[in-house]
Amino acid sequence: MEHRPQIPKIAAVIVTFNRIDMLRDAISAVKAQILQAHIIVINNGSTDGTLQYLNSVENITVITQENLGGAGGFYTGMKYACENGFDFVWVMDDDVLPEPDCLEILYKDYQYLSAYENVGYICSRVFSTTGEVANVPIIDYKANSTGYADWAKYLDKGIIKVESSTFVSVFIPTQVIFTLGLPYLEFFIWGDDTEYTRRITNSNYSAYLSGKSNIIHRRIGGALDINQFKDKSRIKMYSFSMRNSIFISRKFDSKRILFYQLYLFFKLAAKQLLKGQFLKSKVILTGIIKGLFFNPNIRYPEAK
């Protein structure tokens, strides 16, 4: 009897909020993958006709909820995938265009690496629409037994060891989620991907960037800079960035790094105050205070 390789059950989790045109393109690109995944769209309460569009798309799962931010969207999508028998989740925003072999390469690299070690996730190489490298993950500089950094171990395969990544194209075995829990729902926006991918690599798992798996990120923004914020609602949301960054540093970094980060944040608040930007200064200080006492609980999917 001919032996056929088992096809993995993969969920492509896409989180969206009021970007219907980009979402259409993202869904089309995921549907065009050589290795197929079932699409799960988390609609964070969109008001631009997104739900009507999604209801017209065949063979996808749609979960509509109130706007819980990117963090709440990934929490819901990953939880659903785990509790409905999927082997892997492939997480992304609604503004991406994966190349047709993007997922296939991620899975093949996972198969190769998992023969040697516990792989927590593999991420894609991200490009802007102008062809520039973007969303670059942080290289893992942990040393091996020789005392040298281990990141180049699989460089001949186009694979680099990383410590953290953004949720632009990240391939995660659901068993890892059952073991380490889901992203923090309370993060709402900014930092949920950094915390989660660091949670994985700070546990008994390694993670890698696949240099041959490519995806385009259509809306590229640089580092969050409150100096560039003009809309009051967006300025107020910046406190999430402050709070979440401090929590991540408290959780993973040394006290020296945490204190230096706090110094930089207080300095930023003082600069805004001197410029007469009272709202921005208040938002930064509020985020700092919240970050020192913020202690969300890790939630786990239910095993079935």
Side-chain angles (χ1 to χ4, degrees):
M1 184 182 232
E2 182 184 356
H3 175 71
R4 295 183 179 180
Q6 184 177 358
I7 299 175
K9 191 175 180 184
I10 303 171
V13 174
I14 305 174
V15 178
T16 191
F17 175 68
N18 281 350
R19 294 201 293 207
I20 186 172
D21 292 334
M22 287 191 174
L23 177 63
R24 282 195 186 101
D25 295 340
I27 289 175
S28 295
V30 173
K31 280 179 170 283
Q33 292 296 297
I34 295 170
L35 177 62
Q36 286 290 290
H38 179 71
I39 298 173
I40 302 170
V41 179
I42 309 303
N43 172 30
N44 267 339
S46 297
T47 57
D48 62 347
T50 289
L51 182 58
Q52 292 85 341
Y53 157 68
L54 290 172
N55 287 337
S56 71
V57 182
E58 296 182 348
N59 301 319
I60 68 171
T61 297
V62 178
I63 302 174
T64 296
Q65 61 184 20
E66 63 179 303
N67 188 4
L68 300 177
F74 288 118
Y75 170 92
T76 299
M78 291 163 69
K79 184 175 187 292
Y80 180 91
C82 288
E83 294 177 352
N84 286 273
F86 288 91
D87 303 305
F88 300 91
V89 292
W90 181 29
V91 296
M92 66 195 75
D93 286 323
D94 57 1
D95 55 357
V96 299
L97 295 172
E99 293 186 357
D101 59 356
C102 181
L103 177 59
E104 180 187 44
I105 293 171
L106 287 174
Y107 179 61
K108 286 182 177 179
D109 284 347
Y110 171 81
Q111 284 184 303
Y112 171 77
L113 292 166
S114 62
Y116 302 100
E117 52 195 270
N118 292 325
V119 180
Y121 69 87
I122 299 180
C123 58
S124 298
R125 193 164 55 143
V126 183
F127 293 91
S128 70
T129 54
T130 58
E132 296 176 285
V133 175
N135 295 88
V136 180
I138 303 301
I139 290 178
D140 190 335
Y141 287 103
K142 292 188 187 77
N144 57 27
S145 60
T146 68
Y148 288 94
D150 206 34
W151 62 266
K153 185 176 181 180
Y154 301 106
L155 195 56
D156 62 318
K157 305 291 183 182
I159 301 170
I160 295 174
K161 196 172 189 180
V162 298
E163 179 186 68
S164 64
S165 175
T166 61
F167 277 169
V168 174
S169 173
V170 180
F171 184 75
I172 310 170
T174 51
Q175 186 55 51
V176 172
I177 304 170
F178 278 114
T179 302
L180 299 181
L182 294 155
Y184 286 116
L185 177 65
E186 295 84 356
F187 264 48
F188 188 75
I189 190 172
W190 295 319
D192 52 301
D193 44 11
T194 298
E195 185 285 324
Y196 196 72
T197 52
R198 286 190 71 178
R199 191 194 308 177
I200 291 173
T201 55
N202 275 265
S203 302
N204 189 33
Y205 295 98
S206 53
Y208 292 91
L209 165 68
S210 175
K212 297 178 181 178
S213 172
N214 299 321
I215 190 167
I216 295 173
H217 194 188
R218 299 171 72 184
R219 284 173 60 93
I220 297 297
L224 288 174
D225 183 2
I226 197 170
N227 290 296
Q228 305 301 319
F229 289 9
K230 301 188 184 304
D231 180 76
K232 281 189 176 181
S233 61
R234 188 162 178 81
I235 291 171
K236 291 177 181 178
M237 288 179 66
Y238 192 74
S239 65
F240 289 114
S241 176
M242 296 283 98
R243 183 198 65 181
N244 297 345
S245 294
I246 291 170
F247 173 78
I248 292 169
S249 190
R250 283 171 47 211
K251 184 173 181 177
F252 297 116
D253 296 330
S254 66
K255 288 184 178 180
R256 181 181 63 82
I257 293 175
L258 171 61
F259 290 151
Y260 183 66
Q261 184 181 60
L262 289 170
Y263 161 74
L264 293 177
F265 288 166
F266 278 117
K267 185 177 178 180
L268 179 62
K271 284 184 175 180
Q272 298 302 320
L273 189 61
L274 290 172
K275 291 192 295 184
Q277 297 288 337
F278 302 113
L279 176 60
K280 291 182 178 181
S281 182
K282 179 183 176 181
V283 165
I284 295 167
L285 290 172
T286 299
I288 292 172
I289 294 169
K290 287 182 177 179
L292 293 172
F293 300 97
F294 184 51
N295 283 298
N297 294 318
I298 294 177
R299 299 177 177 87
Y300 294 82
E302 294 182 11
K304 295 184 180 181

